[in-house]
Amino acid sequence: MNRIQAATELSNLAEQRALEKAGFTREGVLRGIGFRAGQWQDGVLYSILRADLN
């Protein structure tokens, strides 16, 4: 496996901190990716590559 990715809602700051602490890199904002509570929500995409672990 070369890549693992994770996504979370833009408002979920605790999960973003946890991903960054685990070594994931923030790649960008996914606009209008999820629908919750009657509104479209933005998300954030993170990834970690095998090369990042060396």
Side-chain angles (χ1 to χ4, degrees), residues 1-20:
M1 186 173 305
N2 185 54
R3 174 186 169 92
I4 299 173
Q5 69 182 39
T8 186
E9 287 188 3
L10 187 60
S11 61
N12 192 342
L13 300 178
E15 186 172 0
Q16 291 178 50
R17 281 192 303 272
L19 288 167
E20 290 168 3

Side-chain angles (χ1 to χ4, degrees), residues 4-50:
I4 299 173
Q5 69 182 39
T8 186
E9 287 188 3
L10 187 60
S11 61
N12 192 342
L13 300 178
E15 186 172 0
Q16 291 178 50
R17 281 192 303 272
L19 288 167
E20 290 168 3
K21 186 175 182 180
F24 282 73
T25 299
R26 182 178 173 143
E27 292 190 332
V29 174
L30 304 168
R31 296 173 50 215
I33 192 71
F35 194 78
R36 186 175 57 83
Q39 293 184 326
W40 287 100
Q41 305 292 321
D42 293 344
V44 184
L45 182 64
Y46 285 85
S47 72
I48 190 167
L49 301 178
R50 180 183 300 269

